[in-house]
Every structure is written in structure tokens, then in C-alpha cells.
């Protein structure tokens, strides 16, 4: 339970979206965790299963090097960003998020060939549905969160649930 006296921080999203004109699928998280903000690139927490998931889906091995991960995303026509641009948050807890300012996705959509939006977890999906879906005109699919907080899903379960992403990349 979040108490009124807990230490909220107002944080503006520190990362630029990853995309180019060939991006076909936009993967939206909710907001970068403390570890991701320290790392300086998406899904930087060592226990987040996003990168192991990508390795399994695309049958590749990736290092933790940011340029390699960015190149992988672009080479596979994936765009990555978050649905929340600014919020008040305690640590990395999605449950603590309040005073949401949604991300402006217009530039990503206009400068790419996005055909599908995949929301990594429920908060991302709820935020997209509330603030961005009508404007983009692209329906979103909610997929299970790759966050270490989502221990209910094993990596194999995530691979099965996220497999449909590949249909948009052929």
C-alpha cells in the first residue's frame, strides 16, 4: 500500500524512442525502472526478461551493449518506447504511478510504418487505451509483462504469448 508520506519523485522519461522509417511494430512499456534509467536504455534491469525474450523469439544472442541492442531492434523493424512520458513514482513501482503525462507517439507513427502496437504489461495497455489509441488509430495488443515483478510467467510462457509479434514482421 502506498502511503501519502512516501517519497514520490516527478520524473520525465529520460530515453529517446527507438524507431526508424522501417519500424513495423511498436512495443510500449509503461515507464522506465530505476535500473533502466541507470543503464540508459530500455529494459535495463538484469532480471527483466525482455532481452532474453527477444533472443528466444529471434534465435539470436545479444550482449548488454546498448548499440548492439539498438541495432537489433532496428534491424528487426521494432520500435520501442513507453506509454508514459512523465509521472510521479516511488522507485520503480508501477503501482505507485500517479499524475501521468502520456507519451506523444505521433512522431513515431508518422515517421515509420507501424502496423501493430504491443503493450508490455497492463499499465502500458491501460495508458495506451486511455490516452493514445484513439489518436494513433492502431489497436493495441496487451502481452504479459517481462518485468521481474511478473513472476507468474516463465520465459517459455512469455515466448508463447509474444509469438504473435512475429506475424507483423514478415
Amino acid at each position: 500500500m502506498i502511503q501519502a508520506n512516501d517519497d514520490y519523485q516527478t520524473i520525465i522519461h529520460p530515453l529517446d524512442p527507438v524507431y526508424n522509417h522501417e519500424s513495423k511494430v511498436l512495443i510500449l512499456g509503461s515507464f522506465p525502472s530505476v535500473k533502466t534509467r541507470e543503464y540508459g536504455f530500455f529494459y535495463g534491469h538484469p532480471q527483466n526478461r525482455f532481452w532474453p525474450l527477444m533472443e528466444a523469439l529471434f534465435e539470436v544472442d545479444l550482449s548488454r551493449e546498448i548499440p548492439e541492442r539498438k541495432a537489433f531492434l532496428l534491424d528487426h523493424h521494432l520500435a520501442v518506447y513507453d506509454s508514459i512520458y512523465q509521472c510521479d513514482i516511488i522507485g520503480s513501482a508501477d503501482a505507485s504511478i500517479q499524475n501521468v503525462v502520456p507519451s506523444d507517439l505521433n512522431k513515431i507513427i508518422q515517421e515509420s510504418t507501424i502496423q501493430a502496437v504491443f503493450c508490455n504489461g497492463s499499465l502500458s495497455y491501460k495508458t495506451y487505451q486511455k490516452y493514445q489509441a484513439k489518436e494513433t488509430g492502431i489497436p493495441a495488443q496487451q502481452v504479459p509483462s517481462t518485468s521481474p515483478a511478473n513472476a507468474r510467467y516463465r520465459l517459455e510462457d512469455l515466448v508463447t504469448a509474444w509469438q504473435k509479434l512475429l506475424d507483423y514482421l514478415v
Side-chain angles (χ1 to χ4, degrees):
M1 178 88 181
I2 305 300
Q3 301 297 319
N5 62 351
D6 284 330
D7 295 321
Y8 274 91
Q9 289 183 291
T10 300
I11 300 178
I12 296 174
H13 201 294
L15 306 174
D16 290 331
V18 175
Y19 70 97
N20 64 18
H21 66 281
E22 295 177 356
S23 298
K24 295 179 181 178
V25 173
L26 173 58
I27 299 170
L28 287 175
S30 55
F31 194 75
S33 69
V34 171
K35 291 289 186 190
T36 291
R37 296 191 305 261
E38 290 170 359
Y39 175 61
F41 196 64
F42 296 92
Y43 305 103
H45 191 294
Q47 273 81 48
N48 192 299
R49 277 106 23 107
F50 180 82
W51 293 108
L53 171 65
M54 290 298 114
E55 289 177 329
L57 284 175
F58 291 93
E59 300 176 357
V60 297
D61 289 314
L62 297 169
S63 73
R64 279 193 49 85
E65 300 298 317
I66 293 171
E68 180 181 352
R69 289 180 169 187
K70 184 175 182 178
F72 164 82
L73 294 170
L74 296 175
D75 290 347
H76 289 86
H77 310 293
L78 299 172
V80 174
Y81 200 43
D82 290 305
S83 57
I84 299 172
Y85 175 73
Q86 178 182 313
C87 64
D88 295 340
I89 187 169
I90 298 171
S92 301
D94 275 6
S96 75
I97 290 177
Q98 57 187 26
N99 301 321
V100 166
V101 176
S103 297
D104 182 353
L105 303 177
N106 287 325
K107 186 174 181 184
I108 298 170
I109 302 298
Q110 291 168 358
E111 296 179 2
S112 67
T113 56
I114 299 296
Q115 302 165 6
V117 174
F118 281 77
C119 292
N120 188 350
S122 62
L123 180 58
S124 171
Y125 181 76
K126 288 174 188 168
T127 304
Y128 181 82
Q129 290 301 106
K130 182 175 182 177
Y131 298 106
Q132 297 140 324
K134 188 174 182 180
E135 193 170 335
T136 67
I138 302 171
Q141 298 182 49
Q142 180 180 337
V143 284
S145 174
T146 59
S147 167
N150 184 18
R152 200 172 93 211
Y153 282 83
R154 297 171 305 139
L155 180 60
E156 297 78 21
D157 301 325
L158 291 172
V159 169
T160 300
W162 282 68
Q163 191 81 34
K164 56 191 168 190
L165 176 145
L166 299 175
D167 295 341
Y168 295 91
L169 301 175
V170 291

